Amino acid sequence: MLMDAPVTTMLPVKDLERARRFYEGSLGLRPGELKPDGKFTYDCGGTTLALFPKEGGTKADHTAVSFRVPDIAASIAELKQAGVVFENYDFPGLKTVEHVCVLGAEKAAWFLDTEGNILCLHQDLG
């Protein structure tokens, strides 16, 4: 029933202007539009990313958005030059090496936005 329905990912932000500076300046997303309800949207590879003001911000402790990239090492290098700080993890079953972890059929690397949302880059290996 929803197979052909466009998807919008909703991310809570404490400070919309600060978040926009990060998403546009650091991640390179092209500005979309401010909606009447206060959301700000971006078109991302055929989907929509919407930032919405929320006083408490996010409470999620999991990946909120993952961007599929063709070359994770090159994407990490480019984003680091734009000021993005990548996380490093060393947990049982999840260890990053130079910010990257191999998970089955993909490589992944995580970073936080200015609002505490956990974002990810992933590269398919297959």
Side-chain angles (χ1 to χ4, degrees):
M1 182 161 87
L2 297 177
M3 185 173 78
D4 295 320
V7 172
T8 299
T9 299
M10 307 287 291
L11 288 178
V13 298
K14 293 175 255 184
D15 183 328
L16 183 60
E17 291 307 311
R18 177 178 61 200
R20 284 193 58 196
R21 285 191 300 274
F22 176 79
Y23 281 86
E24 294 165 27
S26 298
L27 302 188
L29 300 186
R30 273 190 228 118
E33 62 180 312
L34 181 63
K35 300 290 187 174
D37 62 359
K39 286 191 305 271
F40 193 87
T41 62
Y42 298 92
D43 289 326
C44 297
T47 62
T48 301
L49 177 63
L51 306 179
F52 70 94
K54 182 178 178 194
E55 187 174 316
T58 185
K59 302 287 187 252
D61 60 356
H62 62 275
T63 302
V65 175
S66 187
F67 297 90
R68 186 175 62 212
V69 296
D71 182 338
I72 199 165
S75 295
I76 289 170
E78 185 177 348
L79 289 171
K80 283 175 87 172
Q81 284 196 338
V84 174
V85 176
F86 283 83
E87 300 292 303
N88 287 302
Y89 299 114
D90 190 359
F91 303 123
L94 181 80
K95 179 173 176 56
T96 55
V97 176
E98 296 182 18
H99 311 300
V100 176
C101 179
V102 176
L103 299 169
E106 69 180 18
K107 293 180 181 179
W110 294 268
F111 58 99
L112 302 177
D113 72 3
T114 55
E115 311 307 300
N117 294 298
I118 301 170
L119 308 179
C120 179
L121 300 179
H122 71 275
Q123 174 186 340
D124 293 336
L125 296 175

